[in-house]
Amino acid sequence: MPHAEPLLLELFGIFVCAKVFGEVFEQLRLPAVVGEILAGIILGPYATKFVNPGATTLSIAGLGAIFLLFTVGLETSPQELIRVGSTSLRVSLAGVLAPFVLGFAYLRGVRGDPSHEAIFVAAAMVATSVGIAARVMGDLRVLHTRVARIILGAAVADDILGMIVLAVVAGLGSGAGVQWAQLIVLFLEAVAFTLFMVFFGSRVIHKMQPGVERLSTQNAPLILALALCLGLSVAAERIGMAAIIGAFFAGLAFAEYSGEWQLAPRVSAINEFLAPFFFFTMGSRLDLHVFDARVIVACVVVTVLALTAKVVACGAPVLREGWLNALKVGVGMTPRGEVALIVALVGLQMKMMSQAAYGIVIFMTGATTLIAPPILRYLFRQDKPEAAA
Amino acid sequence: MPHAEPLLLELFGIFVCAKVFGEVFEQLRLPAVVGEILAGIILGPYATKFVNPGATTLSIAGLGAIFLLFTVGLETSPQELIRVGSTSLRVSLAGVLAPFVLGFAYLRGVRGDPSHEAIFVAAAMVATSVGIAARVMGDLRVLHTRVARIILGAAVADDILGMIVLAVVAGLGSGAGVQWAQLIVLFLEAVAFTLFMVFFGSRVIHKMQPGVERLSTQNAPLILALALCLGLSVAAERIGMAAIIGAFFAGLAFAEYSGEWQLAPRVSAINEFLAPFFFFTMGSRLDLHVFDARVIVACVVVTVLALTAKVVACGAPVLREGWLNALKVGVGMTPRGEVALIVALVGLQMKMMSQAAYGIVIFMTGATTLIAPPILRYLFRQDKPEAAA
């Protein structure tokens, strides 16, 4: 459309730059997502000023975040969660608690940050990104090993715990301090929402299945899934959570039908189109001027805490399977990803987080994502790869 | 994201309303797209004021138009165009010329509309929507018949001719009158762009194929196709055409690889998400107050001209195959669709078209789309359906 040209040019520029950086990172055997964020940092308004994402682009990036979490939800089968058993659950729970407590203690106790900011940064340290570890183990063809299954199972549980943590911290609202009564209400609300979606969401879809398949609309299951994704995003915000939590639970409800209805490849196509705008704008929001000596120290400390907390806490529950396996599980759980970024974005938008704290989270996310793959490759070097399918 | 809630609510409302109206229309064996437009008319700011699409939603609707035409391009194989032979080409060419000449003559000569407005409305009368006829013939399982092949082949050629017509009229710019020198330059530009994309676009992709498949980026072909879609949209606007023309040609370049790289189902998923916003906002822009007696007469006359021009001009080239077959081809070519709507939108945005002329095009598009399917079903009633696959 004639008047939309600046928008199209902006979208084209962002899409191509993000993907070129992503490809360069992939060629260097580094995660593409870090490249896409770096594209935003380098080309964004705080550095070379090549692209300054406008309001519409930021809205499209927000839709990207929603579809990112919708995709994560679609890949998080509640049935699988029930199957993975107690080992994965223990790994996950320990791996959520340890970095949160350590992160909060350091930021509030040592650095003296305000509670709400310390809580947001600590929350960003919680959730493992299943994608990075899965990709590395997939490349090494060791997804069949018991350790890989524990990691993937724990990462599934981790996503759900991460969502509960985000629901609680995002629900703290714009209040100056932490109100414990409100916190407890939000926690119960988030847990109830989770349990409802895990146990009933899937059943509701199951009951609707014959009806959906009778509809005349083409691709009715996909349309229904998209409508629920948008609807639960709105609903989540209405009850004081972040929109993406609703999108995640919408994905969860459809996870069992993702294969049958071919939802995963279709939704991931929407994701392929929208996600680069999310990662790029995450980078473009990073003000490089905040990195003074004190913030750089905090970046390094938070990253070290984020790494050691996961390695120790996630490794400990599987120590009886040998220290090498424990180390593999621990390292496999260290990469943070989209959930950390979204916690940071929500914090920044709610003004619960300073630019410096935002910088710390971006640094920690990028660093944990970059450090884990080479270590994982080293630890798995003696596992026999599964025969190619 | 906390600040995006009004947008999400708006998107949710539009998506659900458009799809519910679409489903109701499908149940009544009427084309869903008319239902989606009607949802916009009824719920939009000129009627019940239930939803008033904001700037971001209109931008997203614009992206919807781009993906709509990208999808049409992906389904328009240049190879097939070469195969369908001269019959389809003659049907297509006659079916483009006749409604344009008749429409322009009526609006300029009888109604005394300004030339630029008459040209835009006439241009909207040109392009057949292949989707409607294909859907009806698919439902009746007669896609294997010679008549169906002629219709589909002609509709393919029709899309390309329609794009050339749109390129020329949209390129007229905001000038008050029609400048013939400029028109000729634009025509040559559009033809050159078309020939280049039809004959070389595909070859360029062919040459790039080994490189694309070596890329480390996941879904590299899809990413490349999306980048080209955005890039050619920007390029088309730079040389004075509408963005969607670039998107269409980007689709055309990838059409040969659509199957191999599984582009069609993936791009159509993006389309499923974005297109309802396009159709709904098309309806929501329709000011119902313009429909006075004089405009209603024009609506009816233009619709009758749009129908008869296609039936006669597209039927004539196949008359030697019997009048029933000629009638089938003629009726099969009558439904107008997304290209007509986009011509109207471009005209409205460039202020080359009044609200009344916009109303005439919307009416004509809806009416031709609604009238064709029952007649087609009647005409094809004695054809043997192909055995179910």
Side-chain angles (χ1 to χ4, degrees):
Chain A
M1 310 297 96
H3 300 290
E5 198 209 323
L7 173 66
L8 281 179
L9 187 59
E10 193 176 305
L11 295 179
F12 175 62
I14 291 175
F15 191 82
V16 170
C17 294
K19 284 300 172 185
V20 167
F21 272 70
E23 173 66 24
V24 170
F25 268 60
E26 287 275 346
Q27 295 282 356
L28 301 169
R29 300 187 79 186
L30 299 170
V33 50
V34 181
E36 296 187 9
I37 297 169
L38 191 65
I41 296 175
I42 293 178
L43 303 169
Y46 289 113
T48 60
K49 303 180 172 59
F50 183 68
V51 187
N52 188 3
T56 304
T57 303
L58 292 178
S59 293
I60 290 172
L63 279 179
I66 284 174
F67 276 94
L68 206 56
L69 270 281
F70 185 48
T71 310
V72 174
L74 270 179
E75 289 163 358
T76 306
S77 155
Q79 296 299 325
E80 196 167 323
L81 188 62
I82 294 162
R83 273 196 296 271
V84 291
S86 58
T87 309
S88 288
L89 283 179
R90 278 200 309 275
V91 168
S92 163
L93 206 57
V96 164
L97 281 176
F100 188 86
V101 170
L102 282 180
F104 183 77
Y106 166 69
L107 292 159
R108 184 85 189 92
V110 180
R111 264 177 62 94
D113 289 340
S115 291
H116 56 88
E117 182 161 308
I119 283 183
F120 261 92
V121 177
M125 294 167 70
V126 155
T128 292
S129 171
V130 62
I132 304 294
R135 184 84 196 272
V136 171
M137 296 188 296
D139 285 351
L140 298 170
R141 296 218 212 90
V142 293
L143 282 171
H144 63 291
T145 60
R146 177 168 157 78
V147 166
R149 291 212 181 117
I150 292 175
I151 294 175
L152 296 183
V156 166
D158 202 283
D159 280 332
I160 292 179
L161 292 174
M163 280 299 118
I164 295 176
V165 172
L166 174 58
V168 172
V169 299
L172 290 174
S174 49
V178 179
Q179 287 149 13
W180 289 101
Q182 192 193 351
L183 203 71
I184 290 167
V185 170
L186 278 165
F187 178 74
L188 294 177
E189 213 173 60
V191 170
F193 196 0
T194 309
L195 292 177
F196 179 81
M197 292 309 294
V198 169
F199 289 100
F200 294 98
S202 225
R203 279 190 213 173
V204 171
I205 304 299
H206 183 71
K207 287 233 164 121
M208 288 170 73
Q209 190 180 11
V212 171
E213 288 173 356
R214 260 202 312 276
L215 287 178
S216 304
T217 297
Q218 287 185 299
N219 296 321
L222 176 66
I223 300 297
L224 186 72
L226 293 175
L228 191 72
C229 171
L230 289 173
L232 284 188
S233 298
V234 173
E237 289 200 326
R238 280 289 153 103
I239 61 170
M241 295 181 179
I244 50 134
I245 295 172
F248 175 80
F249 286 132
L252 213 58
F254 276 93
E256 295 295 318
Y257 298 91
S258 164
E260 192 179 335
W261 281 339
Q262 291 190 292
L263 293 177
R266 289 160 196 266
V267 171
S268 80
I270 302 177
N271 203 19
E272 291 283 353
F273 177 56
L274 296 175
F277 302 111
F278 171 67
F279 291 120
F280 186 97
T281 57
M282 287 304 297
S284 76
R285 285 170 192 263
L286 181 65
D287 184 352
L288 295 173
H289 301 105
V290 300
F291 288 106
D292 58 18
R294 192 163 173 268
V295 172
I296 291 173
V297 169
C299 284
V300 174
V301 173
V302 166
T303 302
V304 170
L305 288 178
L307 290 169
T308 49
K310 283 275 183 186
V311 171
V312 173
C314 298
V318 285
L319 249 188
R320 64 168 183 276
E321 314 205 7
W323 71 266
L324 180 61
N325 285 337
L327 200 56
K328 281 179 191 165
V329 170
V331 173
M333 296 294 287
T334 56
R336 312 304 200 277
E338 52 282 357
V339 176
L341 296 175
I342 283 166
V343 171
L345 184 59
V346 172
L348 199 63
Q349 286 181 336
M350 292 174 78
K351 302 199 196 311
M352 301 286 274
M353 208 183 225
S354 63
Q355 274 284 347
Y358 181 76
I360 293 171
V361 174
I362 299 285
F363 183 93
M364 181 275 294
T365 306
T368 54
T369 302
L370 289 175
I371 290 169
I375 302 180
L376 269 183
R377 278 189 207 108
Y378 180 78
L379 293 174
F380 273 105
R381 73 194 181 285
Q382 289 176 331
D383 283 75
K384 274 195 207 125
E386 200 173 24
Chain B
M1 310 299 96
H3 300 290
E5 197 209 324
L7 173 66
L8 280 180
L9 186 60
E10 193 176 303
L11 294 179
F12 175 62
I14 291 175
F15 192 82
V16 170
C17 294
K19 284 300 171 183
V20 168
F21 272 71
E23 174 65 25
V24 170
F25 267 62
E26 287 274 346
Q27 294 284 355
L28 300 171
R29 301 186 80 185
L30 298 171
V33 51
V34 180
E36 297 187 10
I37 297 170
L38 191 65
I41 296 175
I42 293 177
L43 303 170
Y46 289 114
T48 60
K49 302 182 174 58
F50 183 68
V51 187
N52 188 3
T56 304
T57 303
L58 292 178
S59 293
I60 290 172
L63 279 180
I66 285 174
F67 276 95
L68 206 56
L69 270 281
F70 185 48
T71 310
V72 174
L74 270 180
E75 290 163 358
T76 307
S77 156
Q79 296 298 325
E80 196 169 322
L81 188 64
I82 294 163
R83 274 196 295 271
V84 291
S86 59
T87 309
S88 288
L89 283 179
R90 277 200 309 274
V91 168
S92 163
L93 206 58
V96 164
L97 281 176
F100 188 86
V101 171
L102 282 180
F104 183 77
Y106 166 69
L107 292 159
R108 184 83 191 93
V110 180
R111 262 177 63 94
D113 288 340
S115 293
H116 56 86
E117 182 163 308
I119 283 183
F120 261 92
V121 177
M125 295 167 69
V126 155
T128 293
S129 171
V130 60
I132 303 293
R135 184 85 195 272
V136 171
M137 296 187 297
D139 286 351
L140 298 170
R141 294 219 213 88
V142 293
L143 282 173
H144 62 291
T145 59
R146 177 170 158 77
V147 166
R149 291 214 180 118
I150 292 174
I151 293 175
L152 295 182
V156 166
D158 202 284
D159 279 332
I160 292 180
L161 292 173
M163 280 300 118
I164 295 177
V165 172
L166 174 58
V168 172
V169 299
L172 289 175
S174 47
V178 179
Q179 286 148 13
W180 289 101
Q182 194 193 351
L183 203 71
I184 290 166
V185 171
L186 278 164
F187 179 74
L188 295 177
E189 214 173 57
V191 170
F193 197 178
T194 310
L195 293 177
F196 180 81
M197 291 311 293
V198 168
F199 289 99
F200 294 97
S202 227
R203 279 190 212 175
V204 172
I205 305 300
H206 183 71
K207 288 233 165 125
M208 288 169 71
Q209 189 179 11
V212 172
E213 289 173 354
R214 260 202 313 275
L215 288 178
S216 302
T217 298
Q218 285 185 300
N219 296 322
L222 176 66
I223 300 296
L224 187 73
L226 293 175
L228 192 72
C229 170
L230 290 173
L232 284 188
S233 299
V234 173
E237 288 200 326
R238 278 289 154 104
I239 61 169
M241 296 180 178
I244 50 133
I245 295 171
F248 174 79
F249 287 130
L252 213 57
F254 276 93
E256 295 294 318
Y257 299 91
S258 165
E260 190 178 337
W261 282 338
Q262 291 190 289
L263 294 176
R266 289 161 196 265
V267 172
S268 80
I270 303 176
N271 202 20
E272 291 283 352
F273 177 56
L274 295 174
F277 302 110
F278 171 67
F279 291 120
F280 186 97
T281 57
M282 287 304 297
S284 76
R285 282 170 194 264
L286 182 64
D287 183 354
L288 295 172
H289 301 105
V290 299
F291 288 106
D292 57 19
R294 190 161 175 271
V295 171
I296 292 172
V297 169
C299 283
V300 174
V301 174
V302 166
T303 302
V304 171
L305 289 178
L307 290 169
T308 49
K310 283 276 183 186
V311 171
V312 173
C314 297
V318 285
L319 249 187
R320 63 165 184 276
E321 313 204 8
W323 70 269
L324 179 61
N325 284 337
L327 200 56
K328 282 180 190 166
V329 170
V331 173
M333 295 296 286
T334 56
R336 310 306 198 277
E338 53 283 357
V339 176
L341 296 175
I342 284 167
V343 172
L345 183 60
V346 172
L348 198 63
Q349 285 182 335
M350 293 173 77
K351 302 199 194 313
M352 301 287 274
M353 208 184 226
S354 63
Q355 273 286 349
Y358 182 77
I360 293 171
V361 174
I362 300 285
F363 183 92
M364 181 275 293
T365 305
T368 54
T369 302
L370 288 174
I371 290 169
I375 302 180
L376 269 184
R377 278 190 207 107
Y378 179 79
L379 293 174
F380 273 105
R381 74 195 180 285
Q382 288 177 332
D383 282 75
K384 275 193 204 125
E386 199 173 25

